[in-house]
Amino acid sequence: MRQHHRTPRLLGTLLLVAAAGISLVGAAPHTEAAAPPVRVVPAPASVEPGGSPYRITGDTRIRVDDSREARTVGDYLADILRPSTGYRLPVTSHGAGAIRLRLGGKGLGAEGYRLDSGRSGVTITAGRPAGLFHGVQTLRQLLPAAVEKDSVQRGPWLIAGGTIEDTPRYAYRGAMLDVSRHFFTVAQVKHYIDELALYKVNKLHLHLSDDQGWRIAVDSWPRLAAHGGSTQVGGGQGGFYTKADYREIVRYASSRYLEVVPEIDMPGHTNAALASYAELNCDGVAPPLYTGTDVGFSSLCVNKPLTYDFVDDVIRELAAITPGGYLHIGGDEAHSTSHADYVTFMDKVQPLVAKYGKKVIGWHQLTGATPAKGAIAQYWGLDDTGAEEKAQVARAAQNGTGLVLSPADRLYLDMKYTADTPLGQDWAGLVEVRRAYDWDPGGYLPGVPASAVKGVEAPLWTETIVTSADIDVMAFPRLPGAAELGWSPASTHDWDTYKVRLAAQGPRWDALGIGYYRSPQVPWPAR
Ligand code: ACM
């Protein structure tokens, strides 16, 4: 595997072409010898195709290690396979089983896995349960797209023979959902989590507060949710998560091996809080709720001691229901806060995050203050953001601040694909599928040590996004590209082979009911 990480680009490409070559034999999908093509997104670190395929039949059993986590991943796999195959597929922790989920093996890290497939069965081996789960996502993609349907389909259910060894390039592979501009229910968030899990995304960043809505219950400041959560962009009724709701999102995300990263955006983007409590305002007057889409007009009152009681309470309560390691404190577009106040505010707030046992993440403007030790800055600039701003981020990275890259003209899923895209915005530009995929996080920002890059994240802002179908058409097909940038070794990066693998996802999304943008850049199979 290590070897393959260092594989030169050409050889990596050849490996993928070799893998894709199986599809030539697979051209007649209903013949006995044919295996489906190996067209996996994100590209695995190494694929060695060869040998006979395994065929799932009515006799197949799923044998798992005798641990709660392995059993749960086995049940998850069975739940995917049973409706479309129509087979019983018992999950068992003893005896034989042709599909085997094993904990063990060395060198696979916290999330890696090895998948061995041959005539007698398929074994997924991982050091940790997360690796088994990611291996299961790969296994899904080795099966025909019809496996994703929820009614019985015709097989055969062949899995190409060979070995895949796979570990992620980056530990932080995120997606953000803005639940403030428009509120999304727990069920809608779970739906998105399931989609993220398909592509091995492991962080769900929830943008829980903004000018237009406060979306998380805080017991010590109840009007934040009750009043601040009572509307949204356009004036709809909004909503908020109770603590039980939030815990349920966290639990569900964790069952898909995603960690929730909650964001309370401060000191700007705070109109919903300021509207809920007059005393948080410097002039003691609460502004009205806001349902428009302007930015940069609100600020917490940096010189009022009460502001820090408020922030302490919010962070304490949120940290208490967040098992993950991070708490995102926003820090973007604080245009109504002076620079000196911004620095003062961040100096006071970052220690509160540490006080409650979490690490700070902030939008990259945090690098204009003094990022706390261990903090991560999330870069949301553009390719042509000024050299000075990039240099400020690079200096922070040189001084130990980690970076998560979300270039707005690459990874903002709310940017329109073309001028004709009905939803979304275009302030960062038009972002077609190739543009979203075709860059290297490792070398993106000049002067940033490669080790400072912790990963990538694809944010979805929801000023224009209202339904799950809206989420789907903006996230697909760009989200899988972001996920691949986070997971796959740079040696596999190649648009021409990527677009073929991406095209193979289309029938899967059709089977799953995910409506996506049929970009003309991608050679989708005919429907
Ligand atoms: C941002 O897009 N204001 C982080």
Side-chain angles (χ1 to χ4, degrees), residues 181 265 269 295 332-333 363 365 378 380 408 412 427 461:
R181 269 52 175 272
D265 202 346
H269 290 278
V295 299
D332 58 320
E333 294 174 315
W363 298 105
Q365 284 71 25
Q378 183 171 7
W380 63 282
Y412 268 30
W427 61 261
W461 302 97

Side-chain angles (χ1 to χ4, degrees), residues 3-32:
Q3 266 169 331
H4 288 290
H5 267 294
R6 296 200 197 100
T7 307
R9 183 189 169 103
L10 179 60
L11 183 51
T13 304
L14 288 175
L15 282 171
L16 290 171
V17 169
I22 292 181
S23 65
L24 298 177
V25 241
H30 293 295
T31 60
E32 193 58 30

Side-chain angles (χ1 to χ4, degrees), residues 218 220-221 266 305-319 348-349 351-353 355-356:
V218 177
S220 51
W221 297 76
M266 307 176 271
L306 182 71
T307 294
Y308 304 95
D309 296 339
F310 163 77
V311 174
D312 188 302
D313 286 337
V314 168
I315 291 178
R316 173 174 47 78
E317 291 197 32
L318 189 53
K348 290 193 179 182
V349 164
L352 299 178
V353 175
K355 175 178 169 189
Y356 295 110

Side-chain angles (χ1 to χ4, degrees), residues 211-214 223-224 226-231 271-276 286-292:
D211 292 317
Q212 297 86 348
W214 186 283
R223 276 179 59 80
L224 290 170
H227 184 67
S230 66
T231 192
N271 188 77
L274 296 167
S276 303
L289 292 169
Y290 181 70
T291 61

